[in-house]
Amino acid sequence: MASSEATYAALHPIVRWTSEDGVEHERALPDMISAHRVPKGIRVRLLVMAGAPETAVLDAPDRYRTALVGVCLGVVLWVGTLTAVLVRIATLVPDSCRYSC
């Protein structure tokens, strides 16, 4: 499916599925994944909330990689902050109390 975004045409993958109650749905998934990365006619996994077909998203590995990168970045920032705080506390302790208080 083509749509006009800004000044260029963009392709969006179109998915079709049948819900648990037997109703067929067809929807374009803009801003999820490039249409060129999904071959035509291939089966894909969808995540859809029951009764809300507008919530359909592709269950792609990219989603999990993004989450993992975010978690790793958060851990690195947390460790860096903890290290800075501990170094600052260590420099504030008087020399007379450093090991024997």
Side-chain angles (χ1 to χ4, degrees), residues 37 60-72:
R37 292 183 58 193
D62 295 341
R63 298 179 66 235
Y64 301 107
R65 281 189 217 120
T66 303
L68 184 61
V69 168
V71 168
C72 291

Side-chain angles (χ1 to χ4, degrees), residues 28-68:
L29 299 176
D31 302 327
M32 298 292 169
I33 190 169
S34 170
H36 298 292
R37 292 183 58 193
V38 181
K40 185 176 181 178
I42 193 170
R43 287 182 167 258
V44 294
R45 290 184 51 147
L46 287 177
L47 300 175
V48 183
M49 290 178 58
E54 66 277 357
T55 62
V57 294
L58 287 177
D59 186 20
D62 295 341
R63 298 179 66 235
Y64 301 107
R65 281 189 217 120
T66 303
L68 184 61

